[in-house]
Amino acid sequence: MSRPLFQFKGGVHPPGHKAESNTRPIHAAPLPKKLVIPLRQHIGNPAKPVVSVGDHVRKGQIIGEADGYISTAVHASSSGIVTAVDLQPVPHVSGLADLCVTIETDGRDEWVAREPLDLGAPPAELRMRLRDLGIVGLGGAVFPSAVKLDPGAAQVCPTLIINGGECEPWITCDDVLMRHFADEILQGVAVMRLLLGSSEILIGIEDNKPEAIAAMQAAAAKLDFAVEIVAVPARYPAGGAKQMIETLTGKQVPSGKLSTDIGIQVFNVGTARALARAACHGEPLISRLVTVTGHVLRPQNFEVLIGTPMHTLITLAGERDGNTGVLMGGPMMGVPMPNLDVPVVKATNCVLVKSKELFPPLPKALPCIRCTRCADACPAELQPQELFRFAKAGDFGRAQEYHLFDCIECGCCSYVCPSHIPLVDFYRYAKSEIWAREKDKRASDLARERHEFRQFRIEREKKEKAEKLAAKAQAKRAELAAGADTATPAAADADANAKKALIAAALARAQAKKDEVAPKNIDNLSPDTRHEIEEIEARRAKIRELARQPLESEEKNS
Amino acid sequence: MPSPYILDRTSVTVVMAWVLAALLPGIGVYVWLFGPGILLTLSIATVTAVAAEAGMLKARGYPIKPFLGDLSAVVTAWLLALSLPSLAPWWLIVTGTLFAIVVAKHLYGGLGQNVFNPAMVGYAVLIVSFPVQMTQWAGPLELTATPLGIGQSAAIIFGADVPKSLLDAVTMATPLDTLRTGLLQQHTVDEVVRQPIFGYLGGTGFEWLAAAFLLGGLLLWALRIISWQVPLAFLVGVWLTAGFLHFFDAGRFGAPWFHVFAPSVMLGAFFIATDPVSGATTPRGKVVFGLGAGFLTIVIRTWGGFPDGVAFAILLMNLCVPLIDQYTQPRVYGEVRKEPRA
């Protein structure tokens, strides 16, 4: 247990607020009447719906199929009737509605047939099975686990890190998960080890969770492979994957690369447990632990079916007056919920109910005094004050030069800023502007390419036509030349006359056709009407004249 | 409302209040050793600064309360007042403070926008414009014939017709001035520092004032209000430059400890060069900034037109800040190689 630890730069120490929710046992949230299950619950392509309104589905049945490699299936969390496949509000940063399957539960909670995975199967097949069981990272990024369990060209990922950091204040779902399901977590770790071929397995847990550390150690002692449980200093964002890697190994993930490039893969403890449920029982990911805390009577952790409305959980935890909004996630990186009907999704680790006392409104921002407290706190080792200056000035190129895209949006800079500037917001704004501009640029590049191709095509067609005509003319000339030798002048004259007649006939035909299509409404007018038209024309002319005059006079006046 | 939803309690007001608090030991020693005149100077500067700040905020259409409440104007006022002779006439104090707040701060865009340290701009304007009034320093009470009370100090500060005898009895050349004048008169450093105005390390009394500023500065460092780089680099810059010259010709150049323990250097190192707005921001940049300011301080003291050089040294380094920052950007997390930034 004397592993040398490394310190990542920066970080802050916000009050933890962990004790509120980690002392109560885990409660299973009751089956709600209605489940709303979004089809986009992971990074990558959203699942394609495979059920329609009126279908009866059973618990664990696929309702959305994985669409491509970076995607996972989505499952019914309980049995019932599909009542809608439409756009519903979802707990997403954008606040926009997304495609969801609504299931009216029948209360029978009937499972589909399920069987454990054959761990002896080829890894690629196993990964496809995990993809179809909807396993994604439960640490918040919801990356499809099957993709992360692919060591790729390297064939092997030497170091596997299990992240039990959970450094965000208030959230305790990983803490209680480790306390109660240590064995299951390690079963999942065994599957990860198998797929990644890892030789070194480290489990990092912040030292403010002694019970979790003890439980995991006890479980690890029973294993037939070596797992090292490491207590890491409690400091936000110690639970960030990159920070956890640096703390445990001293290595930094190179900018713009993946941790697998340095032979390290990181999974959240919740993901490990979900993987164990999938491998040992064939269970898809249809529920997760959710911390419900903040301004509620009984802050605690619930085992919640995906699709359960958030207000159900708040009611269970004891709603209180003075609720000033709800966050999904912690106070550092959480996102505000548009309303409380939004469902719990795979990314929902915490439902944090705000109140004026717990989360007083942020004071008005003062100008930046360049005190660089933000730079001292930045775990990405950026210069937030400079990024702020560039973002504010709209100098996005410079912001990119100063590594804007290395910002992990952890919020440490905003937290320490004595001027209370919402720094992270400026970086999000700058990033979205850059993305929008690149999209515009791509679109205009495409348009330009299309235009250039069109020009090229027109030119080419013109050229081809000209060549064809030239060839034809050449042939005709050759023919004529050949004919002239033999034909008499009279014959040629007759020929010309015939041609003239033909042309005249063609012109007459064209004129007739033109007359046919031309409007005939003014052909047969009574003299009165004709007179009226003339009058109107005269009036119009006068008005036009008048309309010109005031302009001239105005010009003179001004 | 965006994330994060919680804040550290340290606000700009708290930062500025700590800076003011850290100046208190120095002010206490000042009163103890040089008389209560400085309290009047501080008051005049504070009132002027607050009024000027409020007026400028109103004129620029800013809300007065949050900006006045940040205490930055008071910090500027105190830093300027502590740089002035404690018996400076009131109009000198008012002029310097007005220039600092109105021109150096608000005409450059207000809090956070000023390129130059406002207090030092005020000081520079005064010493260039009114060199005579700026050199009438109250001597240490230990050495002056008639210790001054608050009433007499007020009379000197406000009174147009103070008897010259009274003024002459209490004002003295500062140690730096004495050294400078002595050296110009072809005396050696040894001969000059035998005068009673020189103490153990710096000037009599002045060295204690410097020690009190050092104490306040260490407090700010312990509270993480200031970083260690700027003050340390500044002191090292002064010490090395003065030490280098002293090593080669001890007869013509003052000892390094004498220069370091001048109150202006301590005040400059911990309270003025550490001004975040006009100083360098990167860790290495802060070292460059501090070393440069220390070096220039001694260069100006030795060969420049004024006995002290801290103000001009810091203003000159303020000029270089964008350049320093640009070329000292630290490596970011996971950055593989250092790319030169144009």
Side-chain angles (χ1 to χ4, degrees):
Chain A
M1 278 315 297
S2 58
R3 186 184 181 82
L5 290 181
F6 302 85
Q7 207 184 34
F8 67 89
K9 204 191 141 283
V12 293
H13 293 100
H17 289 290
K18 303 278 194 182
E20 282 90 332
S21 57
N22 69 5
T23 46
R24 288 195 174 81
I26 298 171
H27 276 105
L31 184 63
K33 281 208 177 66
K34 200 177 79 171
L35 292 163
V36 178
I37 304 171
L39 289 162
R40 188 199 304 270
Q41 287 200 54
H42 45 264
I43 288 170
N45 299 331
K48 280 188 296 194
V50 292
V51 290
S52 37
V53 175
D55 287 359
H56 181 265
V57 292
R58 291 204 278 172
K59 184 172 185 166
Q61 184 179 329
I62 291 184
I63 55 173
E65 270 178 353
D67 182 15
Y69 185 57
I70 304 186
S71 181
T72 69
V74 173
H75 304 77
S77 319
S78 184
S79 58
I81 307 284
V82 175
T83 56
V85 180
D86 60 357
L87 296 177
Q88 298 279 342
V90 293
H92 188 261
V93 188
S94 66
L96 296 174
D98 205 357
L99 192 61
C100 297
V101 172
T102 307
I103 298 170
E104 195 117 350
T105 56
D106 58 14
R108 291 202 292 271
D109 215 24
E110 285 175 322
W111 272 99
V112 289
R114 57 196 192 280
E115 55 186 59
L117 300 190
D118 173 15
L119 293 178
E125 196 179 301
L126 265 179
R127 284 196 289 270
M128 286 304 105
R129 294 276 290 127
L130 293 173
R131 188 188 69 155
D132 291 338
L133 287 169
I135 310 298
V136 296
L138 295 182
V142 286
F143 198 87
S145 299
V147 180
K148 280 177 75 178
L149 286 166
D150 186 351
Q155 304 290 329
V156 64
C157 181
T159 303
L160 171 61
I161 291 177
I162 304 300
N163 192 342
E166 196 166 56
C167 53
E168 270 256 14
W170 293 99
I171 308 178
T172 58
C173 61
D174 288 351
D175 183 8
V176 299
L177 187 88
M178 288 186 281
R179 293 189 198 187
H180 293 96
F181 300 103
D183 289 315
E184 223 166 29
I185 292 169
L186 290 169
Q187 278 172 13
V189 172
V191 180
M192 291 172 177
R193 174 173 170 261
L194 179 78
L195 284 169
L196 291 172
S198 309
S199 46
E200 183 186 34
I201 300 167
L202 304 168
I203 302 187
I205 306 172
E206 269 195 331
D207 57 15
N208 58 2
K209 306 177 194 30
E211 289 94 338
I213 294 172
M216 292 293 284
Q217 267 165 351
K222 291 181 264 178
L223 292 175
D224 56 356
F225 58 91
V227 168
E228 203 175 326
I229 315 284
V230 190
V232 303
R235 179 164 55 126
Y236 179 86
K242 287 179 173 180
Q243 282 65 43
M244 188 58 86
I245 290 172
E246 186 168 6
T247 308
L248 295 180
T249 68
K251 291 179 191 163
Q252 289 195 342
V253 180
S255 175
K257 292 205 170 182
L258 299 172
S259 66
T260 40
D261 294 331
I262 53 170
I264 300 172
Q265 190 59 286
V266 185
F267 286 98
N268 172 264
V269 285
T271 319
R273 186 201 173 207
L275 194 60
R277 297 299 300 177
C280 304
H281 308 281
E283 268 179 32
L285 178 49
I286 53 167
S287 71
R288 68 158 296 151
L289 277 192
V290 179
T291 307
V292 183
T293 185
H295 187 64
V296 289
L297 291 170
R298 297 171 299 277
Q300 59 192 299
N301 283 279
F302 293 103
E303 178 84 42
V304 187
L305 294 176
I306 305 298
T308 304
M310 284 186 187
H311 65 71
T312 311
L313 301 183
I314 296 168
T315 312
L316 281 172
E319 199 170 356
R320 290 170 68 186
D321 291 338
N323 172 345
T324 55
V326 170
L327 300 177
M328 183 173 96
M332 295 299 287
M333 291 186 79
V335 288
M337 293 295 101
N339 63 58
L340 299 185
D341 288 329
V342 292
V344 166
V345 292
K346 292 173 185 176
T348 311
N349 50 2
C350 180
V351 174
L352 180 51
V353 184
K354 295 193 296 173
S355 71
K356 226 184 252 164
E357 292 72 41
L358 295 174
F359 298 94
L362 306 183
K364 248 181 103 77
L366 285 173
C368 170
I369 55 167
R370 291 159 56 82
C371 65
T372 64
R373 290 169 99 80
C374 49
D376 294 338
C378 180
E381 301 173 36
L382 302 170
Q383 295 286 302
Q385 79 281 359
E386 302 285 10
L387 290 176
F388 164 68
R389 195 156 59 93
F390 297 137
K392 202 175 164 207
D395 192 352
F396 301 120
R398 292 280 276 176
Q400 252 175 304
E401 263 177 54
Y402 278 66
H403 304 273
L404 171 69
F405 284 96
D406 284 288
C407 168
I408 56 172
E409 300 183 19
C410 64
C412 288
C413 52
S414 301
Y415 176 75
V416 297
C417 179
S419 292
H420 312 312
I421 301 169
L423 291 163
V424 183
D425 254 41
F426 278 92
Y427 311 144
R428 289 189 189 123
Y429 156 72
K431 284 180 185 175
S432 64
E433 278 296 303
I434 292 168
W435 283 324
R437 282 177 190 195
E438 278 187 3
K439 213 170 127 193
D440 282 353
K441 191 176 170 293
R442 270 203 303 277
S444 68
D445 281 351
L446 196 66
R448 202 191 58 236
E449 268 169 37
R450 277 193 189 136
H451 176 72
E452 280 169 359
F453 183 70
R454 183 169 172 271
Q455 296 291 97
F456 166 75
R457 201 186 62 214
I458 291 170
E459 282 296 311
R460 192 186 61 194
E461 279 168 6
K462 232 188 218 164
K463 215 165 122 191
E464 281 171 1
K465 218 176 201 169
E467 274 167 10
K468 239 182 238 167
L469 276 175
K472 230 178 194 171
Q474 184 103 36
K476 198 138 197 177
R477 266 205 300 279
E479 203 179 296
L480 276 176
D485 286 344
T486 49
T488 59
D493 208 31
D495 209 32
N497 278 344
K499 223 175 217 168
K500 256 182 206 159
L502 269 177
I503 289 168
L507 277 176
R509 270 204 306 278
Q511 186 59 45
K513 210 164 206 170
K514 208 172 164 190
D515 288 349
E516 217 173 295
V517 272
K520 295 191 172 60
N521 55 343
I522 52 164
D523 283 2
N524 309 306
L525 296 173
S526 66
D528 278 359
T529 324
R530 213 176 281 276
H531 185 68
E532 223 169 296
I533 289 173
E534 273 163 19
E535 247 174 63
I536 290 168
E537 285 299 330
R539 241 190 349 257
R540 275 188 185 158
K542 204 167 186 185
I543 287 167
R544 271 189 222 116
E545 191 64 25
L546 279 172
R548 255 197 304 277
Q549 271 172 356
L551 257 180
E552 286 161 13
S553 60
E554 259 172 47
E555 271 168 8
K556 266 174 223 151
N557 287 345
S558 60
Chain B
M1 204 170 69
S3 70
Y5 297 86
I6 47 175
L7 285 179
D8 195 14
R9 283 181 301 272
T10 312
S11 61
V12 174
T13 308
V14 170
V15 171
M16 296 294 172
W18 274 116
V19 173
L20 294 177
L23 284 170
L24 291 178
I27 293 171
V29 170
Y30 206 130
V31 172
W32 179 256
L33 295 173
F34 295 88
I38 187 66
L39 296 178
L40 276 173
T41 312
L42 282 166
S43 311
I44 294 168
T46 306
V47 170
T48 312
V50 169
E53 177 92 353
M56 284 311 284
L57 286 170
K58 193 161 169 57
R60 297 175 61 221
Y62 279 78
I64 292 177
K65 212 178 136 198
F67 281 87
L68 209 56
D70 67 27
L71 298 179
S72 61
V74 181
V75 169
T76 299
W78 284 26
L79 292 178
L80 176 61
L82 288 171
S83 310
L84 299 180
S86 63
L87 295 176
W90 66 271
W91 54 266
L92 196 72
I93 306 165
V94 170
T95 308
T97 313
L98 280 178
F99 207 87
I101 298 289
V102 175
V103 179
K105 186 175 182 185
H106 279 284
L107 294 191
Y108 274 87
L111 180 67
Q113 300 291 319
N114 45 295
V115 179
F116 298 105
N117 186 306
M120 290 303 99
V121 171
Y123 176 88
V125 166
L126 293 183
I127 196 147
V128 171
S129 314
F130 309 102
V132 177
Q133 289 83 349
M134 285 294 281
T135 43
Q136 287 186 344
W137 284 79
L141 298 184
E142 200 186 323
L143 302 177
T144 47
T146 42
L148 273 190
I150 190 94
Q152 286 159 307
S153 300
I156 294 175
I157 291 170
F158 289 108
D161 51 352
V162 176
K164 188 138 189 345
S165 59
L166 177 62
L167 204 57
D168 285 342
V170 292
T171 58
M172 292 175 74
T174 63
L176 281 173
D177 216 356
T178 311
L179 177 67
R180 183 180 181 76
T181 318
L183 291 173
L184 285 175
Q185 290 164 351
Q186 308 300 318
H187 295 292
T188 66
V189 171
D190 267 350
E191 289 165 3
V192 177
V193 298
R194 260 181 249 129
Q195 297 175 40
I197 187 84
F198 293 92
Y200 304 102
L201 287 172
T204 300
F206 291 95
E207 58 197 2
W208 292 112
L209 187 53
F213 286 141
L214 170 65
L215 184 73
L218 291 176
L219 172 73
L220 289 185
W221 170 73
L223 289 166
R224 299 283 179 272
I225 303 273
I226 58 171
S227 58
W228 58 268
Q229 286 99 335
V230 174
L232 189 67
F234 190 112
L235 295 181
V236 167
V238 168
W239 196 88
L240 280 183
T241 314
F244 178 82
L245 295 175
H246 188 69
F247 177 78
F248 280 101
D249 193 346
R252 280 177 51 217
F253 303 106
W257 288 119
F258 166 75
H259 281 296
V260 167
F261 271 85
S264 57
V265 164
M266 285 296 178
L267 190 69
F270 286 96
F271 293 91
I272 298 168
T274 51
D275 170 31
V277 176
S278 55
T281 55
T282 63
R284 280 187 299 146
K286 285 174 181 171
V287 173
V288 174
F289 183 87
L291 284 175
F295 169 76
L296 287 176
T297 298
I298 295 302
V299 168
I300 297 169
R301 275 185 185 179
T302 309
W303 292 288
F306 300 102
D308 191 16
V310 173
F312 289 106
I314 288 176
L315 290 174
L316 284 172
M317 290 312 288
N318 284 162
L319 268 178
C320 308
V321 161
L323 197 72
I324 295 173
D325 275 353
Q326 187 172 329
Y327 284 99
T328 53
Q329 283 298 314
R331 172 190 163 283
V332 307
Y333 174 97
E335 190 181 2
V336 186
R337 66 197 157 80
K338 192 83 193 138
E339 297 154 74
R341 281 204 192 82

